[in-house]
Amino acid sequence: MRKRVIKSLFKTFNTEPQFQEKSNAQEIDLKKQDISSNYDQNLATFKSIFSVPKNTDVKVREFTIRALNRRAFIIFISTMVDLEHIKESILEKLLGNEQPSVKIPDIISYPMAKASTNIEEITEFICGGITALFVEGDSQCYLFETTKTRGRSIGKSDNEVIVKGAKEAFNEKVVDNIALIRKKIKNENLIVETKIITKRSRNDVFLVYQKDLANDELLQTIKDKLSSLETDSILDLSILEQYLEERPRSLFPTILYTERPDRAASFIEEGHVILLMSNSPSCLVLPCTFWALFHSPEDHYLRTPYGNFIRILRFQALFVAVFASPIYIAITNYHVGMIPPDLLMAIAGTRERVPFPSVIEILMMEIAFELIREAGLRVPSPIGPTIGIVGALILGQAAVQANIISPIVIIVIALSGLSSFIISDVSMNFAIRITRFLFIFAAGFLGIYGATSLFILGLFYLVSLKSFGTPYFAPMTPHSSSSKDLLIRHVPFKERFRPGYVKPKDMVKQRKG
């Protein structure tokens, strides 16, 4: 008897997911159908889809169109539309116009987005801020562009700060972001394509490119990659970036993330493809190379000698950030003979009372520096920089006075930490910081030989990376003479060709140089 009860209960519990799957399947089949000319059926269908009245910001307004003497209703999401425009341009025209008319566009002067009959398409439009009008006896729905989303205005970039050049940055409104790009590229060949990439949230991605420059094979590869995504929701470009990368577990990024429309426009002019997304104050540049991540947006705004000076300084800072701590560990532990006698005596004197080996010293201060950096970023902005400076001074001085850390370690950590700040790209900055720890461990085990071996293996690994078929170190390797904008850039009138690694349809960007 007990077994029968348990089996009956088990069957009851098992029927719940089956019922849920059945209801979900029915809803999907319903969305694939077309609307009916029956007023009550359409009203019940869309109230069911949007869970009205349970869904409080979805509004349904029923009324009678006097000019047609027929019932009608509009449905919209009140938090995403301009309510004044709906009231003045749609409702008042339909309720106040008593002259006999045959067509809805003759009654309403408000611009109509389109007419649709498919329930799924109408649902997507309503979710995007469109107002839908259903009229009794009509087998089509009238859609009106009434979108009005709230958000911040166009401001300055927080992560890519420059002294000379444009100060505008993307915001969360994709319409504003597209307008910023079109303001810089006034060309009829600039294409903005839309593609829905998720099932449940229906997040859309905008592909921006110039059809007479962008390579068709590259464009198709990107579209195929976007079409292959099988997920319910991707809310931001930072998440989409992880879906698109060929090696998402790699330390080094293969997609450029930028907040600056001027930088995005410059890449479009070279034949790259830009991805934009609603609610993302940035864009993704495809494909991407190491040099694009290494360069700063300000490089081309400065005169050539100044820009080259900053690039050389940045390249030196890159090596200091990665190798300063490992070289100190390797020399003090394994290669003491490389240090001049006077310097050796000075280092030995400062480390006389320090109880820890140099590897432990470096690791302690590196971790402390990273903690101070993160604390300065996470606390409120007025006191963030103060915490970073005061924390570093107090911590360093106290550690030296307590004979836990030698003074020269403080100098080494300060040099490597400051040098890492000169890398403007956030992802590349993280890659450099993590790589530094790997070199510290390698130098701690095998000295210069360990660091050198890791450097060679790292080069092999970086050369193997690709971004949508483009080698990571292009155009250095494989070598290409089309673009020489690597470490040293030429004067603007000598830059005649676009980068060959993106295979643009038009290689020449200025005829005389």
Side-chain angles (χ1 to χ4, degrees):
M1 182 69 180
R2 184 180 297 174
K3 288 183 179 179
R4 291 179 182 177
V5 172
I6 292 173
K7 284 182 180 180
S8 63
L9 287 173
F10 184 73
K11 287 180 181 179
T12 304
F13 289 134
N14 277 348
T15 56
E16 291 182 2
Q18 291 175 2
F19 175 75
Q20 187 176 2
E21 289 177 4
K22 187 176 180 181
S23 62
N24 290 338
Q26 288 176 351
E27 186 176 347
I28 292 171
D29 292 338
L30 176 65
K31 287 184 178 180
K32 291 181 179 180
Q33 298 175 4
D34 289 341
I35 63 172
S36 168
S37 58
N38 185 287
Y39 173 86
D40 295 320
Q41 182 178 343
N42 290 334
L43 182 61
T45 298
F46 281 89
K47 278 188 174 183
S48 173
I49 290 174
F50 286 97
S51 303
V52 178
K54 184 178 181 180
N55 207 350
T56 55
D57 67 336
V58 178
K59 306 297 182 183
V60 177
R61 296 286 183 266
E62 298 184 61
F63 54 91
T64 301
I65 302 176
R66 296 181 180 179
L68 301 176
N69 196 23
R70 283 191 284 175
R71 292 184 299 168
F73 73 91
I74 60 171
I75 180 170
F76 56 88
I77 301 177
S78 60
T79 52
M80 297 186 66
V81 299
D82 191 334
L83 296 174
E84 290 296 324
H85 280 182
I86 294 176
K87 178 183 176 182
E88 296 174 2
S89 303
I90 299 177
L91 285 177
E92 289 184 359
K93 296 291 178 63
L94 292 173
L95 295 173
N97 194 334
E98 297 183 359
Q99 296 180 358
S101 181
V102 179
K103 297 180 179 179
I104 292 295
D106 297 336
I107 304 173
I108 304 176
S109 59
Y110 196 83
M112 187 172 67
K114 64 178 297 186
S116 178
T117 59
N118 183 260
I119 293 177
E120 184 176 8
E121 185 181 20
I122 296 169
T123 304
E124 290 178 4
F125 275 112
I126 295 172
C127 290
I130 302 294
T131 298
L133 169 64
F134 295 85
V135 180
E136 184 180 19
D138 275 9
S139 58
Q140 63 178 356
C141 167
Y142 303 97
L143 301 167
F144 299 93
E145 178 61 62
T146 55
T147 308
K148 184 182 180 182
T149 54
R150 283 76 178 170
R152 63 187 178 96
S153 59
I154 297 170
K156 294 183 179 180
S157 173
D158 294 327
N159 297 324
E160 297 173 280
V161 181
I162 64 173
V163 178
K164 190 175 183 180
K167 301 296 189 293
E168 292 175 330
F170 290 130
N171 62 14
E172 285 76 12
K173 295 180 182 178
V174 71
V175 177
D176 290 348
N177 297 342
I178 294 172
L180 287 172
I181 293 176
R182 285 200 176 274
K183 187 174 72 171
K184 298 180 184 302
I185 304 177
K186 301 180 179 69
N187 193 310
E188 69 280 2
N189 292 312
L190 182 64
I191 305 298
V192 180
E193 284 190 44
T194 308
K195 194 171 186 65
I196 296 175
I197 57 171
T198 56
K199 297 178 179 178
R200 184 175 295 275
S201 297
R202 298 190 187 94
N203 305 114
D204 48 0
V205 170
F206 296 83
L207 291 85
V208 187
Y209 60 93
Q210 288 206 35
K211 67 178 182 181
D212 58 341
L213 290 180
N215 182 269
D216 292 333
E217 185 178 350
L218 169 65
L219 191 61
Q220 190 59 46
T221 302
I222 296 172
K223 290 180 179 179
D224 292 342
K225 186 72 174 178
L226 292 172
S227 300
S228 66
L229 299 179
E230 295 287 340
T231 182
D232 283 348
S233 176
I234 296 177
L235 299 179
D236 191 84
L237 279 174
S238 302
I239 303 173
L240 178 63
E241 177 184 0
Q242 300 172 56
Y243 279 92
L244 296 179
E245 285 183 316
E246 294 180 10
R247 298 187 185 179
R249 293 180 179 87
S250 172
L251 281 183
F252 288 83
T254 54
I255 296 177
L256 179 62
Y257 179 96
T258 180
E259 299 176 347
R260 301 185 57 85
D262 56 337
R263 198 177 188 194
S266 67
F267 278 107
I268 293 173
E269 292 283 9
E270 290 181 348
H272 292 75
V273 178
I274 304 298
L275 299 186
L276 295 171
M277 197 171 177
S278 299
N279 307 315
S280 294
S282 56
C283 76
L284 298 180
V285 179
L286 310 174
C288 166
T289 65
F290 171 83
W291 305 105
L293 295 161
F294 173 74
H295 294 162
S296 168
E298 196 174 21
D299 289 348
H300 286 274
Y301 288 117
L302 297 172
R303 294 184 65 246
T304 304
Y306 312 152
N308 288 335
F309 170 74
I310 295 298
R311 281 192 178 182
I312 293 171
L313 188 65
R314 190 182 304 124
F315 197 70
Q316 292 174 348
L318 175 65
F319 274 88
V320 171
V322 175
F323 293 109
S325 298
I327 288 175
Y328 172 78
I329 293 172
I331 290 177
T332 55
N333 284 356
Y334 297 95
H335 314 286
V336 181
M338 297 175 61
I339 308 175
D342 294 339
L343 181 59
L344 180 61
M345 294 299 294
I347 294 175
T350 58
R351 299 196 70 253
E352 184 178 0
R353 297 183 179 180
V354 176
F356 303 110
S358 57
V359 178
I360 302 299
E361 281 187 271
I362 291 291
L363 284 175
M364 287 171 59
M365 290 309 297
E366 286 283 3
I367 293 172
F369 190 89
E370 294 296 333
L371 287 173
I372 292 171
R373 175 187 289 189
E374 288 301 311
L377 290 174
R378 306 305 169 202
V379 298
S381 55
I383 61 174
T386 307
I387 285 181
I389 296 171
V390 174
L393 289 174
I394 293 175
L395 185 65
Q397 185 178 2
V400 171
Q401 288 180 351
N403 292 324
I404 297 175
I405 304 295
S406 59
I408 193 168
V409 170
I410 301 294
I411 297 172
V412 171
I413 297 299
L415 275 176
S416 62
L418 289 174
S419 299
S420 66
F421 281 112
I422 203 170
I423 309 299
S424 61
D425 186 83
V426 176
S427 298
M428 180 60 76
N429 191 283
F430 271 107
I432 297 302
R433 288 156 60 185
I434 297 173
T435 303
R436 181 167 64 223
F437 281 97
L438 298 179
F439 275 100
I440 287 172
F441 287 116
F445 281 113
L446 295 172
I448 290 292
Y449 300 109
T452 305
S453 302
L454 182 60
F455 179 70
I456 294 171
L457 291 175
L459 282 180
F460 286 157
Y461 173 73
L462 290 176
V463 169
S464 70
L465 290 178
K466 288 186 177 182
S467 175
F468 289 88
T470 301
Y472 201 50
F473 276 119
M476 173 181 282
T477 173
H479 179 69
S480 173
S481 59
S482 60
S483 176
K484 300 178 180 179
D485 188 17
L486 299 177
L487 182 60
I488 302 295
R489 73 175 181 89
H490 295 283
V491 290
F493 52 83
K494 289 291 184 181
E495 297 176 356
R496 295 187 56 205
F497 300 103
R498 293 184 172 88
Y501 55 82
V502 295
K503 300 176 183 177
K505 294 179 180 178
D506 184 6
M507 283 290 299
V508 182
K509 65 178 178 181
Q510 54 182 355
R511 304 300 170 186
K512 294 182 181 180

